[in-house]
Amino acid sequence: EIVLTQSPGTLSLSPGERATLSCRASPSFSSNYLAWYQQRPGQAPRLLIYGASSRASGIPDRFSGSGSGTDFTLTISRLEPEDFAVYYCQQYLTSPLMYTFGQGTKLEI
Amino acid sequence: EVQLLESGGGLLQPGGSLRVSCAASGFTFSSYAMSWVRQAPGKGLEWVSGITGSGGGTYYADSVRGRFTISRDNSKNTLYLQMNSLRVEDTAEYYCARVIAYGAGDYWGQGTLVTVSS
């Protein structure tokens, strides 16, 4: 079973700043089946990044994903007020088919 | 426009059963795998179950295997989750999600709340 550990638990930044969120997999996995989601209070999760680095449809280019194997990163280049939310990483295994979510990073003003 | 609309949540006693549904529209339902993901109040996301587009493959988290059954009716564009032997710890918002490349969920419903309490 793969465990995803997100850090930091809470990140306090201001609009206009750069945010770097980490997701560490243990053990590492060879595929890039890693996604990132944003969840605002009272809303369903919203897909931001899939395949570790591909932006989902309609996602602004200030969001970018990178990494492979053990360490994955979500970067928000210049924070907008609407970006303050909780972010989750998610890994997908094909055999056996299983999804795992990280515990989340809260991005606050 | 892709839409997913969950329904069927409610208040149950421990040991009870409930079926929640997810009505899909705006895409070719049978072409996509689907998943159920839940979120306990104030907690993170937990994958519950997944099903292939044809319905021939079903998958479960260890926490629900043997108690929950996922199914789909492609003629009705509807996904189901039958939940039996419910426990207090099954209390959560239940979301359905469409699965795309790399296992990501690109569209999610608004959720249906299942509360298990005595």
Side-chain angles (χ1 to χ4, degrees):
Chain A
E1 179 183 348
I2 291 182
V3 175
L4 298 180
T5 302
Q6 293 187 239
S7 61
T10 302
L11 184 59
S12 299
L13 293 170
S14 300
E17 291 191 296
R18 179 185 185 92
T20 302
L21 286 66
S22 173
C23 177
R24 174 162 290 183
S26 179
S28 64
F29 57 100
S30 57
S31 74
N32 57 346
Y33 285 21
L34 194 287
W36 289 93
Y37 300 87
Q38 176 193 69
Q39 188 177 33
R40 296 173 179 141
Q43 296 186 15
R46 173 194 183 199
L47 178 65
L48 301 174
I49 301 289
Y50 65 95
S53 59
S54 297
R55 259 189 312 275
S57 176
I59 301 303
D61 60 7
R62 64 180 182 273
F63 290 91
S64 63
S66 63
S68 64
T70 300
D71 293 305
F72 297 86
T73 301
L74 174 70
T75 302
I76 311 171
S77 59
R78 283 180 58 85
L79 287 166
E80 298 286 343
E82 62 268 26
D83 297 337
F84 292 91
V86 179
Y87 292 82
Y88 295 94
C89 58
Q90 173 237 310
Q91 157 271 331
Y92 166 67
L93 282 181
T94 56
S95 182
L97 194 147
M98 178 183 295
Y99 298 78
T100 303
F101 286 93
Q103 83 280 15
T105 289
K106 181 179 182 180
L107 179 56
E108 65 177 23
I109 297 178
Chain B
E1 179 191 4
V2 173
Q3 289 192 331
L4 298 172
L5 183 63
E6 300 95 338
S7 61
L11 175 61
L12 281 297
Q13 291 190 334
S17 296
L18 187 69
R19 188 178 80 165
V20 293
S21 303
C22 170
S25 60
F27 63 102
T28 305
F29 183 63
S30 60
S31 295
Y32 289 86
M34 300 290 295
S35 277
W36 286 100
V37 175
R38 68 184 180 184
Q39 186 169 38
K43 302 298 183 181
L45 301 171
E46 180 190 14
W47 175 72
V48 173
S49 183
I51 188 168
T52 58
S54 67
T58 57
Y59 310 91
Y60 300 92
D62 289 344
S63 59
V64 306
R65 186 175 291 113
R67 300 187 298 122
F68 289 12
T69 302
I70 190 172
S71 63
R72 63 192 299 159
D73 185 336
N74 287 343
S75 69
K76 296 182 178 179
N77 291 343
T78 303
L79 175 72
Y80 303 100
L81 185 68
Q82 175 69 44
M83 300 181 287
N84 297 331
S85 303
L86 282 162
R87 305 167 180 170
V88 171
E89 56 265 34
D90 294 319
T91 294
E93 193 83 32
Y94 283 74
Y95 297 100
C96 62
R98 187 178 82 164
V99 179
I100 60 166
Y102 301 95
D106 67 336
Y107 283 93
W108 296 60
Q110 86 295 341
T112 188
L113 181 62
V114 174
T115 303
V116 185
S117 175
S118 55

